């Protein structure tokens, strides 16, 4: 196979053509796991990764795993967490903390599970190492920093099948089967597959928790006290504070183009020798965080509730409260945006979140008691060392969602139905973050879109939800931007599930090649046999 072609390849030179049985586009956890499965089944595979770092959110700061019921996590996904368990058995893995000092609390599960030999809570660099170990052990071919050419010339399709796609470097990738394992669904979209962005109205799929959800508060991420959104409190003529929308929220249950907020999952440390002070971002303006000051004025004191502890005195810090790291309303155009525009959106999120931390640690507007505690934290010095200790992956909670052979709906993700042909399972709550921050009729500010509804029991995920309609594409599988309503995706969108579906997609791709048929025509019984042999959990 030819060597990696540099990003600046002039277009007039002969294009490098790379071929494999299966071409995977993406650098996420699902991409790596899918590649491992293809290799295990004896086929050739190339991972074309826009990212330099592999693992997406799993190595990008989300170390406090959203497990739900961990019994439903099988196959290579479980192996990933078992490998992390092995890592934390080594004394040298506990550099900043004694192992016995670590609290061992996970999301409804022990972090270090000796019985099942799994570790559900981990540092970013440890997770990235596991992905790189997979690459090494299975001799995976990975082309990094390779971006799909999203112009009409970027993809060649014939008789409903992708023949090849091109990247911005001019390299062409040819395969029999393709897997889109990106958070954005760029290959799926370029291939002409139907998809949806935003929230469907409840009436579309006969749901309750989709669409606009004004006055629904299922977590603590709302304004619990009356807070004025105006520059001069109570005076609309003074204008709105930053980070408040002037738009009306829309009728309850109606659909819109809005998507749940993104943020960076930060790895912080309170060890004096392993923390760096929160940086002051370019263009920092404390006035931007006045709304947070007013939240504290109202007596709110939940600042540290999502500083979830991971090993070595570090955190996976997530959004918490009415005004926090979720950058509400600033990502609506991200799913469909150009690479340049996406870069701007990511930078904008970074500046917002860095400014928030800098404000909390340094601004006199902050309550003294809270600020003293914030000052004990900084970014972990030994994480994301090539990116100023800042995560390299923005949390793309949701972007495009395919409209495939089967659409996973609210009732399916609540465990109320029996879905056809399961290829994996989920069990997490229907979890959507806020989509907008608006002014109510009474003149006070409120957030909207935050949902957390628990399923009756773990549920199966249908094979049809990772398959495009056959008339749209006959050799593509989509394990991340799955066919699902917005609210069902709120549960499916968990990293363990993406790895599960990545493995199942790869299995289907290889079996389809072996049987010389499209994945849509693959007899489910054949697929099920291999999935069960590989210890995937399909039903409870």
């Amino acid at each position: 196979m030819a060597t990696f072609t540099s990003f600046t390849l002039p277009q007039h030179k002969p294009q490098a053509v790379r071929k494999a049985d299966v071409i995977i586009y993406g650098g996420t956890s699902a991409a790596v796991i899918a590649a491992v499965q293809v290799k295990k089944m004896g086929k050739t595979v190339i991972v074309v990764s826009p990212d330099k770092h592999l693992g997406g959110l799993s190595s990008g700061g989300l170390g406090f795993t959203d497990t739900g019921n961990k019994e439903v996590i099988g196959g290579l996904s479980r192996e990933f967490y078992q490998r992390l368990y092995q890592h934390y058995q080594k004394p040298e893995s506990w550099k900043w903390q004694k192992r016995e000092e670590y609290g061992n609390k996970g999301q409804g599960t022990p972090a270090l599970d000796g019985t099942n030999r799994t570790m559900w809570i981990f540092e970013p660099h440890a997770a990235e190492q596991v992905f790189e170990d997979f690459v090494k052990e299975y001799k995976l071919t990975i082309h990094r920093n390779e971006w799909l050419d999203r112009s009409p010339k970027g993809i060649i399709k014939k008789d409903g099948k992708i023949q090849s796609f091109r990247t911005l470097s001019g390299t062409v990738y040819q395969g029999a089967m393709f897997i889109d394992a990106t958070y954005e669904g760029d290959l799926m979209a370029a291939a002409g597959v139907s998809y949806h962005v935003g929230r469907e109205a409840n009436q579309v799929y006969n749901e309750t928790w989709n669409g606009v959800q004004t006055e629904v508060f299922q977590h603590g991420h709302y304004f619990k006290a009356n807070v004025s959104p105006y520059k001069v409190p109570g005076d609309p003529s003074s204008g709105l504070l930053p980070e408040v929308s002037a738009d009306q929220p829309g009728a309850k249950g109606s659909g819109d183009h809005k998507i749940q907020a993104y943020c960076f999952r930060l790895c912080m440390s309170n060890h004096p020798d392993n923390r760096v002070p929160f940086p002051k971002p370019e263009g920092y303006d404390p006035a931007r965080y006045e709304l947070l000051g007013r939240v504290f004025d109202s007596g709110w004191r939940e600042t540290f509730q999502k500083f979830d502890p991971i090993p070595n005195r570090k955190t996976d810090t997530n959004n918490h409260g009415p005004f926090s790291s979720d950058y509400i309303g600033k990502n609506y155009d991200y799913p469909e945006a150009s690479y340049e525009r996406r870069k701007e959106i990511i930078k904008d999120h970074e500046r917002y979140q860095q400014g928030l931390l800098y404000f909390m640690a340094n601004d006199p507007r902050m309550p003294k008691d809270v600020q003293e505690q914030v000052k004990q934290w900084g970014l972990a010095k030994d994480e994301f060392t090539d990116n100023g200790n800042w995560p390299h992956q923005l949390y793309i909670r949701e972007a495009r969602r395919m409209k495939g052979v089967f659409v996973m709906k609210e009732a399916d993700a609540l465990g109320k139905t029996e879905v056809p042909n399961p290829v994996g399972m989920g069990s997490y709550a229907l979890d959507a973050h806020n989509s907008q921050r608006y002014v109510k009729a009474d003149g006070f500010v409120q957030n909207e879109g935050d949902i957390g509804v628990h399923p009756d029991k773990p549920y199966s995920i249908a094979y049809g939800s990772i398959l495009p309609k056959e008339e749209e594409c006959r050799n593509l599988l989509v394990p991340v931007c799955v066919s699902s309503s917005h609210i069902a995706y709120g549960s499916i969108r968990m990293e363990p599930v993406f790895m599960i579906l990545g493995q199942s997609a790869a299995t289907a791709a290889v079996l389809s090649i072996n049987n010389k048929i499209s994945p849509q025509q693959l007899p489910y019984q054949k697929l099920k046999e291999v999935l069960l042999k590989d210890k995937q959990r399909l039903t409870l």
Side-chain angles (χ1 to χ4, degrees):
M1 197 167 281
T3 54
F4 179 74
T5 315
S6 87
F7 193 68
T8 51
L9 180 83
Q11 288 295 309
H12 60 264
K13 281 200 178 170
Q15 293 176 333
V17 178
R18 313 203 189 286
K19 301 176 184 182
D21 297 316
V22 181
I23 305 288
I24 297 168
Y25 183 59
T28 58
S29 58
V32 179
I33 294 299
V36 169
Q37 181 65 12
V38 173
K39 255 321 196 18
K40 285 183 83 164
M41 292 179 74
K43 288 281 185 271
T44 58
V45 61
I46 299 173
V47 176
V48 184
S49 171
D51 312 303
K52 195 166 68 173
H53 295 276
L54 298 176
L57 248 292
S58 284
S59 61
L62 205 167
F64 196 72
T65 307
D66 303 312
T67 46
N69 181 332
K70 62 185 187 300
E71 292 312 308
V72 308
I73 299 167
L76 290 165
S77 184
R78 179 165 282 256
E79 188 183 325
F80 170 77
Y81 299 102
Q82 286 170 331
R83 285 176 177 234
L84 283 160
Y85 178 86
Q86 298 303 336
H87 170 79
Y88 286 109
Q89 293 308 300
K90 300 173 193 160
E92 64 270 26
S93 297
W94 297 90
K95 186 177 177 184
W96 304 107
Q97 179 181 44
K98 290 195 175 85
R99 189 180 146 173
E100 51 277 13
E101 287 171 2
Y102 175 65
N104 206 29
K105 179 186 164 288
Q107 289 215 51
T109 173
L112 260 173
D113 180 347
T115 318
N116 292 293
R117 302 180 74 73
T118 47
M119 177 59 157
W120 302 102
I121 313 293
F122 46 84
E123 297 157 281
H125 77 267
E128 187 170 359
Q129 192 52 57
V130 172
F131 291 118
E132 293 296 348
D133 289 346
F134 275 131
V135 170
K136 224 157 126 187
E137 286 168 40
Y138 289 93
K139 299 185 171 63
L140 300 178
T141 303
I142 316 268
H143 292 293
R144 302 173 200 243
N145 202 20
E146 279 279 64
W147 298 76
L148 175 69
D149 177 350
R150 290 162 62 196
S151 77
K153 291 182 190 150
I155 193 162
I156 292 174
K157 259 180 98 181
K158 199 175 155 192
D159 303 327
K161 290 165 97 160
I162 302 170
Q163 304 295 304
S164 65
F165 67 76
R166 188 175 71 187
T167 56
L168 295 179
S169 71
T171 308
V172 172
Y173 293 90
Q174 284 180 4
M177 287 285 156
F178 292 81
I179 294 173
D180 183 339
T182 60
Y183 291 125
E184 294 84 4
D186 284 343
L187 181 59
M188 165 188 87
V193 171
S194 305
Y195 58 86
H196 188 83
V197 175
R199 305 185 285 187
E200 297 93 348
N202 275 320
Q203 68 205 42
V204 175
Y205 296 120
N206 191 24
E207 296 174 309
T208 304
W209 301 111
N210 208 333
V212 176
Q213 296 289 328
T214 40
E215 300 300 310
V216 174
F217 309 122
Q218 292 175 338
H219 296 113
H221 314 316
Y222 64 99
F223 290 84
K224 295 177 179 178
N226 284 338
V227 172
S228 175
Y230 302 112
K231 287 176 183 166
V232 175
D235 177 9
S237 69
S238 65
L240 287 171
L241 287 174
E243 315 312 335
V244 182
S245 169
D247 297 338
Q248 288 299 300
K252 190 169 179 181
S254 64
D256 59 22
H257 69 289
K258 295 168 180 153
I259 51 177
Q260 54 178 320
Y262 298 166
C263 70
F264 287 93
R265 299 284 289 240
L266 292 186
C267 188
M268 298 182 183
S269 170
N270 66 356
H271 195 296
D273 300 331
N274 193 40
R275 66 175 180 217
V276 290
F278 298 124
K280 183 180 187 175
E282 201 185 316
Y284 169 72
D285 178 6
R288 193 176 191 183
Y289 307 101
E290 169 57 25
L291 199 56
L292 179 63
R294 293 184 192 181
V295 169
F296 283 115
D297 292 346
S298 77
W300 186 84
R301 287 296 182 275
E302 297 173 27
T303 312
F304 304 97
Q305 286 200 10
K306 284 305 286 177
F307 279 47
D308 289 316
I310 63 173
N312 285 308
R313 282 180 64 172
K314 296 178 195 174
T315 66
D316 164 357
T317 304
N318 196 11
N319 176 79
H320 185 78
F323 191 106
S324 181
S325 57
D326 274 2
Y327 192 28
I328 299 171
K330 304 301 167 76
N331 60 346
Y332 300 157
D333 60 332
Y334 179 89
E336 306 262 36
S338 67
Y339 292 138
E340 290 72 24
R341 173 67 188 132
R342 281 187 192 159
K343 234 179 241 170
E344 285 171 13
I345 294 168
I346 292 166
K347 194 74 201 157
D348 193 25
H349 277 71
E350 191 177 294
R351 284 187 187 139
Y352 164 78
Q353 211 167 329
Q354 286 180 351
L356 177 75
L357 293 164
Y358 188 82
F359 176 88
M360 290 171 75
N362 299 287
D363 200 280
R365 180 77 177 82
M366 281 288 293
K368 272 274 174 288
D369 57 313
V370 181
Q371 191 163 70
E372 283 314 306
Q373 265 185 285
V374 173
K375 276 182 181 296
Q376 293 169 27
W377 293 93
L379 300 176
K381 196 188 282 186
D382 61 350
E383 298 287 352
F384 311 118
T385 52
D386 64 349
N387 198 43
N389 311 108
W390 194 262
H392 35 71
Q393 176 67 58
L394 180 63
Y395 195 173
I396 309 302
R397 288 192 169 95
E398 186 174 347
R400 298 183 179 101
R401 300 185 315 280
M402 179 167 66
K403 288 183 183 174
V405 170
F406 183 89
V407 180
M408 290 290 292
K409 296 170 280 296
E410 180 182 290
D412 303 319
L414 288 174
K416 295 180 186 300
T417 63
E418 229 173 272
V419 306
N421 305 343
V423 290
M425 295 188 77
S427 65
Y428 202 75
L430 303 182
D431 183 38
H433 283 234
N434 282 306
S435 291
Q436 52 186 337
R437 180 179 289 130
Y438 67 101
V439 182
K440 297 185 295 173
D442 63 5
F444 295 110
V445 64
Q446 196 47 275
N447 296 336
E448 181 278 319
D450 187 67
I451 299 294
V453 180
H454 288 274
D456 298 353
K457 57 181 187 291
Y459 59 91
S460 299
I461 299 168
Y463 179 39
S465 71
I466 63 172
L467 286 176
K469 296 187 178 98
E470 193 166 20
E471 63 270 20
E472 292 184 347
C473 195
R474 298 192 295 128
N475 66 338
L476 174 70
L477 293 114
V478 184
V480 177
C481 292
V482 300
S483 176
S484 156
S485 72
H486 153 74
I487 200 58
Y489 197 73
S491 172
I492 295 166
R493 63 175 184 86
M494 303 302 154
E495 288 290 304
V497 178
F498 288 154
M499 288 190 259
I500 290 165
L501 296 179
Q503 180 174 358
S504 293
T507 306
V510 172
L511 291 175
S512 299
I513 293 170
N514 291 346
N515 290 279
K516 297 184 170 59
I517 44 178
S518 70
Q520 290 88 348
Q521 297 300 325
L522 178 67
Y524 174 66
Q525 212 41 49
K526 281 188 173 171
L527 176 59
K528 182 181 176 180
E529 262 167 47
V530 180
L531 295 180
L532 290 174
K533 178 175 72 65
D534 289 338
K535 298 189 168 57
Q536 288 274 59
R537 312 279 162 86
L538 307 182
T539 52
L540 262 196

